[in-house]
Structure formats: structure tokens, C-alpha cells
């Protein structure tokens, strides 16, 4: 059996960082990252980007050396992705903040509104309903992060947590300030509007959870140390659960249901910051859904042609 010689160069300076001798032909990029880490402990595998070209795409950890377009002396280029943090930690941090911040405004802790309103409660029942819905949404997200989600990548750049938390925490505080404000007024169409909004919100929350379960079942658990990570990719199809039948028309129905939930919350509270958050979220989820849709089309030749990224027949 022939062995490979592997040299790893810095993608920016082209300086040689590492030379690996007698590498097995069936070695994966993930295993090469581990070998590289032994000679450079500061660059653990998760922060390594290994590529064939200095400006090319990162190779996947599961790529096998002998299947790559390289000779018996293989040259790879390394880029440092920076400090990494687990997706689970990011999600838990992102979602705990809005939950706590919203409750601080709901209970009107001191220094938010005028002193005479400290620890008072709203006279409008929709304010209490909105708090329950908002809390339910983020508790659901926290529990899904811990017990449902499986990620294709175990980590993300540490710097992203600050951007993500600014987004979620900032919008939560902005929405909560106005919804729980002593001068807040209920929706113009009263109880009918609120009840319709609650039905939409709950329907989409159940739908979103159903999609997350269906997506989880497509991915077998990963191996230690990351059981929440899985590289397996399959085409998602409807299951016996009626909430998953939307897969017939949409590639990312989890985003479709998420949008519906926030439209319901917007209708329920009739609050401009909530509407703005829903709009910004819709734009971002559309970008993600289009990317996911393109990825499905590229990876699976038999991908159902009728599906749209996020909105059936529209977008």
C-alpha cells in the first residue's frame, strides 16, 4: 500500500507549517487536522480550515485523501478560523437573554419605567398573554437546543455570539419595553384579533416543533465528543404528522412556521417593534432558506422540483 506525504502551508504567507510522512491513503481530512494539531496545539481541529487552494473552499472533515485530486505528495493550505464556540452554547446564550430580559420588563423592575410603576402589573390581559407566548417560545427553543437539534457543525466562530446576542437581546428588550409599558393600548379589534393571533401563534409553534423533530430523525446521533453533531444529509419528506405535509411545497418549513408564529405575535400585540423584528427575521430566514434550497438542489438530483425555499409558489 502506497503512503502519502502531506505538507501544510500557510494560506497567506505560503510558509510551510507542517510535514506529515507516511499518511494512510484512507486518512480523512479530519484525521489530518488531528495530526496537524499535535504539532500546533494552538490550532485545534475546529478552528482549522484545510483547502486545496489558498483561496478555495474548505475541505470537509469526511473527505478522504486518496479521493482528492492530489499526488502522493499532497499540498494543503491552512487558514485559522479563529476561536470557536459550540453551537449549543451559542443557542443557549442567545435564547436565555430574551427570556430573562422580557420578564424584567413584564415585572417592571425598577429603573425601567417611572418609579410609581415599579413591580406593578398591566390591566390588559393581552399583556399577560403576550408574556406567556414569548416565554413559551424561548423555553421551547432552549429545550429544543438541549434535546432535539443535531448540528452539521459542532462549532462556530466565537465572535458571532456577540452579533447574535445583540440581535436577539436587543429586539427582545425593545419589544418588551413597549408591550409592557404602562401606556400600552390593546389591539384595535380587541378580543377577536387577539384570539385569532393566539390560534395562529400556537398552530405555528406546534408546526415548527414538528418540523424540528422530523429533521432530527433524518440525522443519526454523532459520535463522542459531539453527539449533537451529525454529517448525514437526506431529503426531508412529509411524515404521518400533518404539520410536516408542508414539505411537499417548501424546503424549509421550520422557517415558514417561525414566520407564522411572529406574525401571530405581531397581530396579538399590535406593536411596531414586534412587526419590525418579524420583518427583519423574515428577510434573514429567506436568505437561509434560499441557501438551503440551493444546497438541496445541488446535492440531490431527485430533489422534488415543486418546492420553494420558504413560501409555497412565491419565494
Amino acid at each position: 500500500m502506497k503512503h502519502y506525504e502531506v505538507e501544510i502551508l500557510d494560506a497567506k504567507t505560503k510558509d510551510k507549517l507542517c510535514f506529515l510522512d507516511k499518511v494512510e491513503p484512507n486518512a480523512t481530512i479530519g484525521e489530518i487536522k488531528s495530526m496537524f494539531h499535535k504539532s500546533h496545539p494552538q490550532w485545534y481541529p475546529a478552528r482549522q480550515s484545510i483547502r486545496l487552494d489558498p483561496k478555495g473552499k474548505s475541505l470537509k472533515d469526511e473527505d478522504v485523501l486518496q479521493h482528492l485530486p492530489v499526488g502522493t505528495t499532497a499540498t494543503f493550505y491552512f487558514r485559522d478560523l479563529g476561536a470557536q464556540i459550540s453551537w449549543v452554547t451559542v443557542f443557549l446564550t442567545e435564547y436565555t437573554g430574551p427570556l430573562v430580559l422580557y420578564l424584567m420588563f413584564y415585572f417592571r423592575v425598577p429603573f425601567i419605567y417611572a418609579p410609581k410603576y415599579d413591580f406593578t402589573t398591566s390591566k390588559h390581559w393581552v399583556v399577560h398573554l403576550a408574556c406567556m407566548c414569548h416565554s413559551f417560545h424561548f423555553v421551547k427553543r432552549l429545550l429544543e437546543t438541549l434535546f432535539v437539534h443535531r448540528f452539521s457543525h459542532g462549532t462556530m466562530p466565537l465572535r458571532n455570539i456577540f452579533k447574535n446576542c445583540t440581535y436577539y437581546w436587543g429586539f427582545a428588550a425593545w419589544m418588551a419595553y413597549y408591550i409592557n409599558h404602562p401606556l400600552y393600548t390593546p389591539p384595535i379589534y380587541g378580543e377577536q384579533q387577539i384570539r385569532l393571533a393566539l390560534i395562529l401563534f400556537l398552530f405555528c409553534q406546534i408546526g415548527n416543533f414538528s418540523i424540528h423533530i422530523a429533521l432530527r430523525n433524518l440525522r443519526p446521533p454523532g459520535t463522542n465528543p459531539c453527539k449533537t453533531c451529525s454529517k448525514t444529509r437526506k431529503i426531508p419528506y412529509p411524515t404521518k404528522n400533518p404539520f410536516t405535509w408542508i414539505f411537499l411545497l417548501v424546503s424549509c418549513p421550520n422557517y415558514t412556521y417561525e414566520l407564522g408564529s411572529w406574525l401571530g405575535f405581531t397581530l396579538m400585540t399590535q406593536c411596531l417593534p414586534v412587526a419590525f423584528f418579524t420583518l427583519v427575521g423574515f428577510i434573514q430566514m429567506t436568505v437561509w432558506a434560499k441557501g438551503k434550497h440551493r444546497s438541496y438542489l445541488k446535492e440531490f438530483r431527485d430533489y422534488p422540483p415543486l418546492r420553494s425555499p420558504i413560501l409555497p409558489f412565491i419565494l
Side-chain angles (χ1 to χ4, degrees), residues 108 110-111 113-121 182-183:
R108 295 177 180 171
F111 307 110
Y113 304 113
K116 65 179 180 179
Y117 296 116
D118 290 352
F119 298 113
T120 58
T121 57
L183 300 181

Side-chain angles (χ1 to χ4, degrees), residues 1 22 25 40 66 78 104 130 183 223-224 246 262 268 303:
M1 179 186 296
K22 295 183 179 180
H40 295 276
Q66 64 183 348
F78 160 80
M104 289 174 64
L183 300 181
T223 56
N224 288 326
I246 192 175
W262 286 108
M268 179 190 301
Y303 192 72

Side-chain angles (χ1 to χ4, degrees), residues 92-107:
L92 292 179
T93 307
E94 284 180 8
Y95 302 152
T96 300
L99 179 63
V100 174
L101 283 170
Y102 195 100
L103 291 174
M104 289 174 64
F105 285 91
Y106 173 74
F107 289 112

Side-chain angles (χ1 to χ4, degrees), residues 4 16 44 51-52 59 61 71-72 80 85 95 104 111 124 153 179 212 246-247 257 259 265 283:
Y4 284 73
K16 183 182 289 188
Y44 45 88
R51 48 191 78 182
L52 292 170
L59 294 170
D61 284 355
T72 53
D80 182 11
I85 186 172
Y95 302 152
M104 289 174 64
F111 307 110
H124 304 299
H153 299 285
I179 296 172
H212 286 162
I246 192 175
F247 268 126
Y257 282 124
L259 172 63
F265 196 69
I283 294 171

